[in-house]
Amino acid sequence: MNDSPGWASPGSAPSDGRPPENSGETGPTGRAPESTPSGSKWSKEQPPAGQWSAPSGTPQRSHAQTPPRQGRNGAPQGGWGARGPGGWGGPPPAAKPGVIPLRPLGLGDILDGSVSTARAHWRTVLGVTVVVAVLVQIADILLQKFVLPAPTPITADPETNPTEALRQSLDSMQDTMISTVPSLLIGMIGTLFTTALLTIVVSRSVLGRAVSLGDAWREAKPRLPHLLGLTLLLTLGALAIMTVGMLPGWLLGSAGGAALAALGALAAAVVVVWLWIRFSLASPALMLERQSIGQALRRSSKLVQGSWWRVFGIQLVTALLTAIVSMLIVMLFSTIALVTDGSGLDGLVKGDASEFSWAFLVIGGIGAVIASCITYPISAGVSVLLYIDQRIRREALDLDLARAAGLPGYDTEQSPDQTPGN
């Protein structure tokens, strides 16, 4: 049996003040203790159940647990000190005032908490995601239809003119990046608003409290400029790292330069992923702890330190799940759009959005909105719950959350309106 922090293991030492048998010491009466039958090392008189106390001098903060129920004689029922058919009972279950138990979380707990939040507060969650996703899709469709240029087609024969083929490939890649950046910026702004509002929703749902769209907006609105600055800083930093990695290859402009650019892009991508994980908890830290951009970055780095691979694994699994769900929905609606209007196939082949018909774009946009309404809450919920989990593991935040939720048996000095970041 594993020992939990703050609890003395039953039977680990005599608790009635008498020395252990065969130790050569005398008891309180001056006589040696009597031997028990069959050479047993246990004393005839055992302490009553439920009287094991925490070891002195160890002011550790154990994780929040549901206080044991009291029987009619005042003895606890269940948990440590409870005798059952199998002997000593296990530790009491963790308190769960909201969508997650107040203890260190696993991947299943985090994903379940994200889905439970969306189900428990579906009106608020849908109100946020539908409005943002529709606006993002409208702006993206208009940009692709009327503003962004079509990619440069590759017409050179690579066998006869490799230099010209390489040049056209680089030009096509440049056009693709130019057409992708505005869409990424629009998506980033949409993600900004959904992250800000859903962070408040998830933090309230952890305490088991309802929150309306108006409440979430009033609480998140003052932090939006800081969150925008943080998002731009991380995005521009990633673009700068990728540019520096690929720049030497671009300057050479030959076959060797292309290989060098690909190698530099790979190295830069590794650095970007490492920084992305290291600062992945900066957004919830900024929103819930009301810190500045620099303080939020340092806070995230501190929380992730020593747990980089675990955070990376959870974020990677979440990204894969949301990508698969989004891809399946988008493919379904794209197929419906192609069946409805076959002219959109030409645009797909050429990679030119201006060739798409309005029917194709509208049906595809509906699929993208549905996919966003499913994936946005999960991504935001995982980020916030992962932040809370790291604080539970490092700072015993679960005890503060139990007090903030007003659970019986905990100190209520803090305000019951406290959120996980305060």
Side-chain angles (χ1 to χ4, degrees), residues 105-139:
L105 306 176
L107 175 61
D109 297 321
I110 293 176
L111 292 176
D112 180 71
S114 301
V115 175
S116 298
T117 300
R119 293 173 58 188
H121 308 284
W122 63 270
R123 291 184 179 85
T124 304
V125 171
L126 283 181
V128 173
T129 54
V130 169
V131 172
V132 173
V134 168
L135 293 178
V136 167
Q137 287 303 314
I138 291 175

Side-chain angles (χ1 to χ4, degrees), residues 83-350:
R83 294 182 183 271
W88 293 93
K96 188 178 180 181
V99 295
I100 59 170
L102 300 184
R103 55 167 171 77
L105 306 176
L107 175 61
D109 297 321
I110 293 176
L111 292 176
D112 180 71
S114 301
V115 175
S116 298
T117 300
R119 293 173 58 188
H121 308 284
W122 63 270
R123 291 184 179 85
T124 304
V125 171
L126 283 181
V128 173
T129 54
V130 169
V131 172
V132 173
V134 168
L135 293 178
V136 167
Q137 287 303 314
I138 291 175
D140 189 40
I141 289 173
L142 294 178
L143 276 176
Q144 293 185 21
K145 184 73 175 176
F146 299 111
V147 178
L148 299 178
T152 302
I154 300 176
T155 59
D157 186 359
E159 295 183 357
T160 59
N161 193 352
T163 303
E164 182 64 19
L166 176 63
R167 186 187 64 80
Q168 291 186 7
S169 298
L170 293 176
D171 291 341
S172 179
M173 184 184 301
Q174 182 179 357
D175 292 340
T176 302
M177 292 183 63
I178 292 175
S179 62
T180 302
V181 167
S183 297
L184 290 177
L185 290 177
I186 293 175
M188 182 186 68
I189 294 174
T191 304
L192 173 77
F193 281 95
T194 55
T195 299
L197 295 174
L198 292 178
T199 297
I200 304 302
V201 174
V202 175
S203 66
R204 294 289 185 88
S205 65
V206 169
L207 300 178
R209 299 201 180 109
V211 55
S212 65
L213 181 58
D215 295 335
W217 171 250
R218 281 190 295 271
E219 191 167 345
K221 183 179 178 180
R223 307 301 301 167
L224 284 177
H226 301 81
L227 186 59
L228 176 61
L230 174 65
T231 306
L232 289 176
L233 178 62
L234 294 177
T235 304
L236 294 177
L239 291 176
I241 293 173
M242 294 297 298
T243 301
V244 170
M246 300 176 64
L247 186 60
W250 280 345
L251 294 178
L252 288 178
S254 61
L260 182 60
L263 184 61
L266 180 61
V270 172
V271 176
V272 168
V273 170
W274 183 80
L275 291 175
W276 169 56
I277 296 300
R278 191 169 184 85
F279 299 134
S280 60
L281 304 183
S283 174
L286 183 143
M287 292 296 299
L288 297 178
E289 298 184 28
R290 295 175 175 81
Q291 296 187 352
S292 64
I293 295 176
Q295 291 173 336
L297 291 174
R298 289 191 294 269
R299 182 72 165 137
S300 175
S301 178
K302 180 180 178 181
L303 290 175
V304 174
Q305 185 177 5
S307 302
W308 190 94
W309 284 107
R310 179 177 179 274
V311 176
F312 171 74
I314 293 176
Q315 295 280 21
L316 180 61
V317 170
T318 303
L320 289 176
L321 288 176
T322 54
I324 291 173
V325 171
S326 179
M327 181 182 65
L328 292 176
I329 295 175
V330 170
M331 288 179 60
L332 173 62
F333 278 84
S334 297
T335 303
I336 296 174
L338 287 174
V339 172
T340 304
D341 185 3
S343 61
L345 184 61
D346 295 335
L348 288 176
V349 173
K350 296 179 182 179

